[in-house]
Structures are given as structure tokens and as C-alpha cells.
Amino acid sequence: MIAALALALAGSAAPAEPEAYRGSYRYTGGDAEARARHDAIDAVVQQMPKLFRPFAFKRIDKATTPDERVVIEVADGQITIGDAPGEGLTTPLGDDGVVKEGDGGADQKVTRVVVDGGIRHRAEQHNGFGQDHYRLAADGQTLTVTVTVGSDQ
């Protein structure tokens, strides 16, 4: 099961260079966007057996709730994405990624690559994945994040 949602943080043609993404972005969505996100989650959850729906809705909601702020730092082939300067996970930019402890203590592989004119952040565990695709508008001021989550179950 896969759910995809687009969240505007603060698009048009996106710069291909990761350095262009360096900066701090503030979430600017409101109630209408939150309702649309919940409607999209509900549409996915309704395809599941009734027993799993409340649990699935909470997990997908948590995984797709936008941070109030996103800070992206790029230096020496490394990229850090977090919610404050100097915080967050630093990974090499490319397919190598890093392995870290994920939800429930299981290993999670995190990769960040430049793809389709944006930066794709992907976290994979044994039972599913989460993927954020960051695209910067041509003006360099608006960052749009498309969130995709998927599970084997």
C-alpha cells in the first residue's frame, strides 16, 4: 500500500544542484491542506481491512505530518536535513547512504540522491519505506515536499 502527498513548505522548474537547496524553510500550509492530507490518508486506509484502519491512519498521519521547519545543509558531498541548523541526519549525497536505527529499533537505510531536478530522501526498513522528494521553485524561496510511504502489509 502506498500513499503520496505533496506538502508546500514556504514549484516550478527545480535547480539540479544540491547547494541551491541550502537554507531554512518554514511550513506555510493551513487547515485546508491538513484536511486534504487527511482525506488522502483516509482514501488509502479505506482499502485496508477494517481491523487495521485506525492503526494505519495514525502511522501514515505521523509519517506524513510536515515539520514546522526544514533546514538543509550541503557541504563536501554530504547533506544534512533537519528541523534546526546543526541538527538532523547527515548522509553522503548518493546511493551509498547510511544505516541507522529506525522505528522499533530495526536497521534503516537512508539515502539521499539528486533525481528529477530535486533531492530524494529515502528511508527503507524490512517492512516498508518512507520517501520525501524535495523540489525547489525557480525563485529559490518555495520548497515543495512530496511524501510517499509504503509497506509490505
Side-chain angles (χ1 to χ4, degrees):
M1 212 40 66
I2 296 177
L5 306 160
L7 309 166
L9 292 167
S12 46
E17 295 301 316
E19 290 77 14
Y21 287 78
R22 185 180 295 125
S24 179
Y25 304 90
R26 183 178 54 84
Y27 175 66
T28 59
D31 291 341
E33 186 171 79
R35 277 191 303 278
R37 186 173 59 82
H38 280 151
D39 289 347
I41 294 169
D42 194 50
V44 169
V45 169
Q46 290 304 315
Q47 300 172 39
M48 299 177 181
K50 278 188 174 183
L51 179 65
F52 299 115
R53 290 177 188 172
F55 174 73
F57 188 95
K58 288 178 187 172
R59 292 242 357 213
I60 295 170
D61 183 43
K62 180 181 177 190
T64 60
T65 298
D67 293 325
E68 288 297 315
R69 184 170 146 180
V70 172
V71 176
I72 300 175
E73 299 168 324
V74 181
D76 301 323
Q78 302 279 315
I79 184 166
T80 303
I81 301 175
D83 57 9
E87 295 182 10
L89 178 67
T90 300
T91 67
L93 196 53
D95 289 325
D96 293 337
V98 297
V99 175
K100 69 176 200 77
E101 185 176 316
D103 293 341
D107 282 349
Q108 182 179 73
K109 183 175 182 183
V110 177
T111 56
R112 295 178 177 144
V113 297
V114 175
V115 64
D116 297 330
I119 297 173
R120 184 187 71 206
H121 162 98
R122 185 174 175 95
E124 294 183 58
Q125 279 188 210
H126 62 82
N127 62 347
F129 71 92
Q131 180 172 289
D132 301 333
H133 192 106
Y134 298 87
R135 293 184 64 83
L136 192 60
D139 66 6
Q141 300 299 306
T142 303
L143 181 71
T144 300
V145 182
T146 303
V147 179
T148 307
V149 293
S151 175
D152 299 338
Q153 304 169 351

